[in-house]
Amino acid sequence: MAPAAPLLPLPPPPPLLLLLLVLGRPLLGAPGQGAGTWSRFARLPYPQDQLFLHDTFPDGFLWGAGSAAYQTEGGWRQGGKGASIWDTFAHRPATPPGSVPPGPAAGDVASDSYNNLFRDAEGLRRLGVSHYRFSLAWARLLPNGTAPLNPAGLAHYRRLLGRLRELGVEPVVTLYHWDLPQGLQDAFGGWASPVLPQLFCDYAELCFRHFGGQVRYWLTMDNPYVVAWHGYGTGRLPPGVQGGPRLAYRAAHHLLQAHAKVWHLYNDHFRPTQRGKVSIALSSHWIKPQHMTEKNIKQCQKSLDFVLGWFAKPIFIDGDYPESMKSNLSSLLPEFSEVEKKYIKGTADFFALSFGATLSFQLLDSHMKFQQLESISLRQLLYWISSEYNNPQIFIVENSWFVSGSTKRDDAKYIYYLKKFIMETLKAIRYDGVNVFGYTVWSLLDGFEWHRGYSIRRGLFYVDFQSHDKKLMPKSSVLFYQKLIEKNGFPPLPENQPIEGIFPCGFAWGIVDNYIQVDTTPAQFLDSNVYVWDVHQTKKLIKVDGVFTSKRKRHCVDFAAIRLQISLLQEMHVTHFHFSLKWSLILPLGNLSLINHTLVQYYQCFASELLRVNITPVVALWQPMAENQELPVSLAKYGAWENPETIQAFVEYARFCFTSLGDYVKFWITMNEPSVKNLTYTAGHNLLKAHAKAWHLYDKEFRRSQKGKISIALQADWVEPACPFSRNDQDVADRILEFDVGWLAEPIFGNGDYPQVMRAWLHRRNSIDLYNFHLPYFSEDEKKLIQGSFDFFALSHYTTTLVGWEKEDALKYDHYLEVQMINDITWLHSPSRAAVVPWGLRKLLKWVKSKYGNVPIYVMANGIDDDQNMMHDKLRVYYIQNYINEALKAYTLDNVNLQGYFVYSFNDKTAPKYGLYSYVANQYEPKPSMKHYREIIDNNGFPGPETPELVCPEEIASCPECHFFRTRKSLLAFISFIFVAFIVTIFFITYYSRRVERRYK
């Protein structure tokens, strides 16, 4: 193969960074400037911008965990603590729809952190965090909300701060996290009263005086949106006042005044000596437009104004509410005086952001979305905040998702949401220039989850709420977060980097078409009718009735459809073409009593034309399809593969194909991708025997003369444990691999029998659940027949699946195998939601080698779907590039005996959305992915400057006509004699004619 220009990997992060700089980073913000966020992110390069970013956070980045007093402390009647509005709300006798149920679902004991202070501190030490966010229970320090001070409460928080100082953990302290003393609600009406701001300021002064020497980061309050809107507007949360929008906006007005008072108190009296910082924890959702129109973008901007901007704009911009709120709520929204505006403006030393499950998709009223779509893009929210509010320093003080309340310690779903949010934060810093300096996981331990009670969990540490001692047990997320903190992010690893190199000489570069386009329409030369041309009237050909010419045999040139397909394959530069025969059409009755000779000749012509242009046909005898599994109707009707008679029918069909096509086909697949999802154990048993019999038939009767090779092609997607640290998840992944791949592979490539894992599991299920899943047994002779019935290991690989053992989502849980399917939301996904995980192919190839030895391996199909948007062909370009590079790693670094790679699929006509050629208006057009694949083929991989040149011997084109000549030697000799005699005769005639002419002259 001639050397070609080196094919470099797709653009790495630096060019992407350059493009992002061109698109713009947030500059000095102004109200409304955040509206450019949606269009900016719509223009980012796909799929590069959506790839996982392997990088680290800036030096000194803060990593922490958090909790809230009512959620975790418990001890609601201990140490002189007063009642809070949450105590009262959770103990009420009646339950309004959608709110917290009464009784046990309360924070009376919760995680019992009040009595387990050192237990919690040990969890922080184990994580290695730099800070711990917690809240002070106002009613524990001031039981009635005002003096006198409770000494037991004061001592408790001093002990906690002292222990944090011993561990070197920075405290981030929230003064108010929703648990207002009930006494203030009873006496004044809570935050609906203008008295509350001063009472809150008095409480804050007490905290600054007693704890300020040990605290550098203060948060006045958490999520005032929820406090005001659902506490005093809808009544969904404490104190449960259903005052409507007017009372909610009044409460929010007082919350802003209270926050500003406390900030000024600290700034004027405590900052000079304590040198701390004060802010407010603001929560937000993210919203995206239904369509990228100016109108929808304005509605998205309004949605954020009404939730986050409600509090952020007064504090970070000008002391007043967003214009969109003022113009829409003029009669409901209180007004600030000019003095108040100046007083509120600038009352935050950093932007404290809460983002996650508390508000997103939970406590955001539907009308606040303004008919747009809620999303969980933290990165875009960070960019919006940076653009809208003068590029502030941002401290993420609460972020995570949740798992089911029944999930114990392998919290895979939680891990992958955490991974997504942290990766988006990293991109916001590295790609978008957003100034984020800290991140806080919510929460340190399981607790009472507000309106959801104990139905969900959000902790890194598991708490058994029914136990007496409430021990903390680390979940898998603890190990994930711990390692992330150690590495300060996701540093690039060697296995994540593309490699340079080439594949060996003779490597099979292929393309797949499950079923080639068959068009056996007769050519005009095969029409035996006689026609006359009506030149005078109709100007058309008119058939002469009753007059016929002699018929001739069909020739390959009569099949016009073949030439087009061959030319497209030549354009691709592939060396192999893989397709399947149609058993149901070749032998419609399932036996040799009726043969479709026209179709057989079509296949012969197609294979011979492939050979003529030096493309090796790779032919599968059978591939299951939806209708009758692509079996002849007579076989499908009587049990299909459940019927043992199908075995012999398949063998006879195979014999016919070997006889009819064997001179053209040297690369056979008995069965292509038999779907184990749709196979019964009996059907699989018979299918294996049919394959083995067909293999032995070829080996004994055809191999010597035809010199081909034959095997079975199995679908083999990789299965990865969802929690890489979990032995239980690893066991599940191993079990699924044996059921999905080992079921058919082990008898052939292994010991001749089914995997022991399958037998043990089915025995367990049958004994426990009284099922009758019978896995048949092979006789010793059958084992010998099946074992070793291969020449190579052919596999189809498309994606990777994450599995776990903890039941989290009933819709994605397989009760039969006791496996939970998990989604890593940081992975790229195709329009059909197939995950793009290139490293899964390398792991699969290593697994095959480890189980079945150094067997030759062909990746017989590997591909991804797209849609009409050409952007998604960029995904296929990325897919092909990186999957082949992972295959190269397996060959080069892991010494896998990989001998070929085939892309799925040839064109969109036969495999819609998967083709390298589009098919529109009866025309085939090459997609960019086809050209990219061709470039890889021309380079035989990814050669680099240091890659040694590989000199391959010239391949001699095969001669499909040789069989014709070998079987007609006598005829050829006779024709040669006639031709020579004709030439000699012409010569003598010419010679003597000239002599006669000269004589007469």
Side-chain angles (χ1 to χ4, degrees):
M1 186 177 293
L7 183 69
L8 299 177
L10 291 179
L16 179 59
L17 267 174
L18 185 61
L19 180 56
L20 289 165
L21 284 168
V22 172
L23 289 172
R25 290 184 172 186
L27 303 173
L28 290 179
Q33 190 166 314
T37 302
W38 292 277
S39 60
R40 177 189 186 270
F41 279 89
R43 299 194 309 270
L44 293 182
Y46 178 87
Q48 286 87 342
D49 182 65
Q50 294 188 21
L51 299 178
F52 194 86
L53 174 59
H54 291 278
D55 201 349
T56 55
F57 284 80
D59 293 340
F61 192 81
L62 303 179
W63 295 103
S67 67
Y70 186 76
Q71 289 185 282
T72 60
E73 274 189 2
W76 79 291
R77 284 180 170 175
Q78 285 184 258
K81 176 185 175 295
S84 73
I85 56 175
W86 264 99
D87 291 318
T88 304
F89 191 76
H91 293 155
R92 70 202 184 291
T95 307
S99 57
V100 179
D108 296 0
V109 179
S111 317
D112 202 21
S113 289
Y114 182 74
N115 296 302
N116 290 279
L117 183 151
F118 287 92
R119 174 205 67 180
D120 294 357
E122 178 59 23
L124 294 168
R125 186 198 63 77
R126 179 167 182 168
L127 286 169
V129 294
S130 57
H131 69 273
Y132 176 47
R133 180 192 170 191
F134 65 94
S135 70
L136 306 174
W138 189 345
R140 192 174 293 284
L141 290 168
L142 299 172
N144 295 313
T146 57
L149 173 66
N150 176 21
L154 185 66
H156 170 73
Y157 291 118
R158 279 179 170 166
R159 281 196 303 273
L160 175 56
L161 289 168
R163 182 56 182 152
L164 293 178
R165 185 173 65 251
E166 292 172 3
L167 295 174
V169 175
E170 187 84 53
V172 178
V173 180
T174 308
L175 293 170
Y176 175 65
H177 202 126
W178 305 7
D179 49 351
L180 185 74
Q182 183 63 41
L184 299 183
Q185 182 64 36
D186 294 340
F188 305 105
W191 290 108
S193 169
V195 175
L196 258 290
Q198 184 56 50
L199 296 177
F200 182 62
C201 190
D202 295 342
Y203 160 62
E205 182 180 14
L206 178 148
C207 296
F208 294 153
R209 184 163 16 96
H210 287 282
F211 309 129
Q214 301 176 67
V215 179
R216 285 199 307 156
Y217 293 100
W218 290 97
L219 300 173
T220 56
M221 58 188 67
D222 182 87
N223 202 341
Y225 166 85
V226 167
V227 174
W229 190 257
H230 291 302
Y232 295 87
T234 68
R236 286 185 64 188
L237 298 179
V241 179
Q242 298 178 357
R246 185 178 299 277
L247 188 62
Y249 291 124
R250 187 195 308 167
H253 205 69
H254 298 149
L255 286 164
L256 278 165
Q257 292 171 329
H259 159 77
K261 275 182 174 291
V262 170
W263 187 89
H264 282 287
L265 168 70
Y266 188 86
N267 193 57
D268 296 342
H269 300 286
F270 295 96
R271 192 190 302 274
T273 56
Q274 296 180 1
R275 303 183 184 282
K277 295 183 177 182
V278 179
S279 189
I280 179 173
L282 299 181
S283 185
S284 184
H285 62 305
W286 181 247
I287 198 88
K288 62 182 182 181
Q290 290 207 36
H291 304 286
M292 282 297 292
T293 64
E294 185 177 349
K295 178 182 177 182
N296 284 353
I297 289 175
K298 285 182 178 179
Q299 295 300 95
C300 289
Q301 181 79 1
K302 185 187 292 186
S303 176
L304 292 174
D305 280 347
F306 271 62
V307 178
L308 178 57
W310 184 4
F311 301 93
K313 183 174 175 288
I315 293 170
F316 290 92
I317 298 297
D318 59 5
D320 202 2
Y321 297 115
E323 288 302 318
S324 59
M325 293 186 72
K326 292 165 67 175
S327 61
N328 281 271
L329 305 168
S330 56
S331 62
L332 297 175
L333 201 63
E335 293 185 3
F336 289 116
S337 67
E338 290 303 316
V339 173
E340 287 177 320
K341 291 178 186 178
K342 291 178 182 178
Y343 190 71
I344 293 171
K345 176 184 175 181
T347 55
D349 301 320
F350 55 91
F351 197 111
L353 175 66
S354 169
F355 181 77
T358 302
L359 182 61
S360 298
F361 296 95
Q362 300 286 325
L363 291 173
L364 181 68
D365 278 10
S366 59
H367 73 273
M368 291 288 193
K369 302 175 189 177
F370 294 95
Q371 299 180 328
Q372 305 308 308
L373 305 173
E374 197 170 356
S375 174
I376 54 170
S377 177
L378 175 56
R379 177 186 173 188
Q380 294 186 46
L381 175 61
L382 290 170
Y383 186 87
W384 186 89
I385 290 170
S386 193
S387 300
E388 191 81 3
Y389 301 121
N390 289 320
N391 194 23
Q393 286 188 310
I394 300 175
F395 192 175
I396 298 173
V397 294
E398 176 183 344
N399 178 239
S400 75
W401 208 242
F402 61 89
V403 293
S404 166
S406 62
T407 299
K408 293 182 171 58
R409 299 180 61 180
D410 287 332
D411 52 344
K413 174 184 170 184
Y414 185 93
I415 289 175
Y416 290 109
Y417 272 94
L418 206 58
K419 180 182 174 186
K420 169 188 167 63
F421 291 135
I422 294 173
M423 188 265 290
E424 288 194 347
T425 303
L426 181 60
K427 284 185 176 181
I429 295 170
R430 296 301 187 195
Y431 287 170
D432 308 328
V434 179
N435 189 359
V436 184
F437 68 90
Y439 180 89
T440 311
V441 167
W442 202 268
S443 61
L444 174 64
L445 68 166
D446 290 335
F448 175 76
E449 290 300 332
W450 308 117
H451 61 295
R452 300 291 294 273
Y454 296 102
S455 66
I456 63 171
R457 293 176 180 268
R458 295 184 68 194
L460 293 169
F461 287 89
Y462 174 79
V463 176
D464 181 357
F465 297 112
Q466 304 304 315
S467 67
H468 176 71
D469 54 6
K470 304 288 190 299
K471 286 184 179 179
L472 291 192
M473 290 180 279
K475 302 180 187 179
S476 292
S477 53
V478 166
L479 297 174
F480 168 80
Y481 194 48
Q482 182 185 57
K483 290 184 179 296
L484 188 143
I485 293 172
E486 288 176 3
K487 297 175 180 178
N488 198 34
F490 310 100
L493 300 173
E495 58 265 33
N496 297 327
Q497 306 305 308
I499 67 168
E500 295 175 343
I502 55 177
F503 290 93
C505 291
F507 190 79
W509 292 105
I511 190 74
V512 187
D513 201 354
N514 284 342
Y515 295 103
I516 58 175
Q517 178 189 346
V518 175
D519 184 359
T520 58
T521 303
Q524 60 182 1
F525 305 107
L526 296 177
D527 189 351
S528 60
N529 293 294
V530 176
Y531 299 84
V532 295
W533 187 10
D534 183 1
V535 297
H536 300 292
Q537 295 182 10
T538 64
K539 309 294 185 182
K540 296 180 180 180
L541 291 173
I542 300 174
K543 186 170 70 172
V544 179
D545 295 332
V547 181
F548 303 96
T549 62
S550 59
K551 289 188 176 181
R552 69 163 175 83
K553 291 184 178 180
R554 288 176 179 266
H555 299 297
C556 290
V557 294
D558 295 323
F559 300 120
I562 293 178
R563 293 194 299 273
L564 175 59
Q565 294 180 76
I566 296 297
S567 67
L568 295 176
L569 292 169
Q570 283 183 279
E571 184 182 18
M572 202 180 301
H573 298 181
V574 292
T575 63
H576 290 64
F577 180 54
H578 174 31
F579 64 94
S580 300
L581 304 177
K582 288 200 170 187
W583 184 5
S584 63
L585 297 182
I586 293 175
L587 302 180
L589 300 181
N591 55 49
L592 300 178
S593 63
L594 179 62
I595 301 171
N596 187 337
H597 290 287
T598 301
L599 180 58
V600 172
Q601 186 185 7
Y602 187 92
Y603 285 134
Q604 289 172 338
C605 290
F606 197 98
S608 67
E609 286 298 298
L610 286 172
L611 290 172
R612 186 180 62 80
V613 296
N614 211 25
I615 296 175
T616 301
V618 181
V619 180
L621 296 172
W622 173 74
Q623 175 164 346
M625 296 296 282
E627 186 177 359
N628 294 327
Q629 301 181 53
E630 194 45 52
L631 294 171
V633 175
S634 59
L635 297 177
K637 185 177 179 181
Y638 293 101
W641 287 108
E642 294 271 336
N643 186 346
E645 293 182 6
T646 304
I647 299 172
Q648 191 56 38
F650 180 77
V651 174
E652 291 305 314
Y653 162 63
R655 181 189 299 276
F656 173 78
C657 293
F658 297 152
T659 303
S660 304
L661 300 171
D663 287 318
Y664 308 97
V665 179
K666 311 300 179 187
F667 199 140
W668 288 100
I669 301 292
T670 55
M671 293 140 177
N672 192 53
E673 297 185 23
S675 175
V676 296
K677 305 294 185 186
N678 300 319
L679 274 183
T680 65
Y681 293 126
T682 300
H685 201 69
N686 291 334
L687 188 145
L688 282 166
K689 289 191 282 187
H691 154 77
K693 285 176 178 283
W695 187 90
H696 283 283
L697 170 68
Y698 188 85
D699 190 54
K700 293 175 182 177
E701 300 184 23
F702 295 93
R703 189 189 299 275
R704 179 171 297 180
S705 61
Q706 297 181 0
K707 295 180 172 51
K709 53 188 175 183
I710 183 169
S711 195
I712 188 172
L714 305 176
Q715 180 166 341
D717 288 334
W718 181 243
V719 182
E720 184 80 1
C723 292
F725 319 106
S726 167
R727 181 67 252 177
N728 289 332
D729 281 9
Q730 183 63 61
D731 290 343
V732 170
D734 292 342
R735 181 163 68 247
I736 299 305
L737 278 171
E738 294 295 0
F739 271 82
D740 284 359
V741 184
W743 176 8
L744 300 180
E746 185 65 26
I748 298 171
F749 300 93
N751 61 13
D753 200 359
Y754 297 115
Q756 183 56 36
V757 170
M758 285 186 71
R759 289 211 183 275
W761 180 260
L762 292 174
H763 176 75
R764 172 181 174 274
R765 291 308 305 261
N766 291 341
S767 61
I768 294 176
D769 302 325
L770 300 179
Y771 289 119
N772 188 22
F773 297 118
H774 176 62
L775 187 62
Y777 286 86
F778 294 113
S779 68
E780 290 304 315
D781 288 340
E782 287 173 334
K783 288 181 183 178
K784 291 176 183 178
L785 177 78
I786 296 171
Q787 185 181 20
S789 57
F790 68 91
D791 295 331
F792 51 88
F793 196 116
L795 60 90
S796 300
H797 175 85
Y798 302 99
T799 189
T800 291
T801 304
L802 292 172
V803 296
W805 72 277
E806 293 260 25
K807 184 177 179 180
E808 177 68 33
D809 181 352
L811 295 177
K812 295 182 179 179
Y813 187 79
D814 185 330
H815 292 272
Y816 171 53
L817 292 175
E818 295 182 7
V819 56
Q820 177 70 62
M821 304 299 173
I822 302 290
N823 181 33
D824 184 342
I825 54 178
T826 66
W827 286 349
L828 281 175
H829 288 83
S830 74
S832 69
R833 302 306 298 160
V836 179
V837 192
W839 52 258
L841 175 58
R842 181 183 178 189
K843 287 197 171 188
L844 175 68
L845 294 172
K846 290 170 66 177
W847 181 83
V848 171
K849 179 184 177 183
S850 68
K851 279 190 70 70
Y852 305 120
N854 196 36
V855 57
I857 302 176
Y858 290 85
V859 178
M860 297 303 297
N862 179 236
I864 196 76
D865 63 290
D866 64 10
D867 58 22
Q868 295 303 315
N869 189 337
M870 188 55 71
M871 176 174 68
H872 284 104
D873 192 58
K874 295 180 180 179
L875 177 62
R876 182 181 287 107
V877 170
Y878 171 84
Y879 182 99
I880 291 173
Q881 167 94 10
N882 287 275
Y883 272 83
I884 295 177
N885 199 265
E886 291 296 322
L888 180 63
K889 291 178 186 178
Y891 168 74
T892 304
L893 305 179
D894 307 325
N895 296 314
V896 173
N897 188 6
L898 184 63
Q899 299 198 359
Y901 171 89
F902 293 65
V903 167
Y904 181 82
S905 169
F906 182 18
N907 62 74
D908 283 344
K909 183 176 183 180
T910 52
K913 300 184 180 181
Y914 282 86
L916 297 193
Y917 284 90
S918 62
Y919 184 76
V920 180
N922 295 323
Q923 295 290 323
Y924 292 95
E925 290 294 335
K927 300 179 184 178
S929 53
M930 187 286 281
K931 298 175 183 178
H932 191 72
Y933 184 42
R934 181 175 63 193
E935 190 177 352
I936 295 174
I937 294 172
D938 291 344
N939 284 277
N940 200 29
F942 309 93
E946 305 301 320
T947 304
E949 184 176 348
L950 183 66
V951 180
C952 297
E954 288 292 329
E955 296 183 16
I956 301 173
S958 301
C959 177
E961 293 82 6
C962 292
H963 177 71
F964 174 87
F965 293 124
R966 283 198 306 269
T967 58
R968 294 168 175 83
K969 292 180 180 178
S970 300
L971 176 62
L972 291 173
F974 176 73
I975 293 173
S976 300
F977 171 77
I978 295 297
F979 179 74
V980 172
F982 175 75
I983 296 297
V984 171
T985 303
I986 294 298
F987 171 76
F988 280 113
I989 291 173
T990 305
Y991 174 74
Y992 284 108
S993 296
R994 289 179 178 175
R995 288 191 62 181
V996 170
E997 288 177 4
R998 284 199 297 269
R999 183 179 301 170
Y1000 283 103
K1001 287 181 180 179

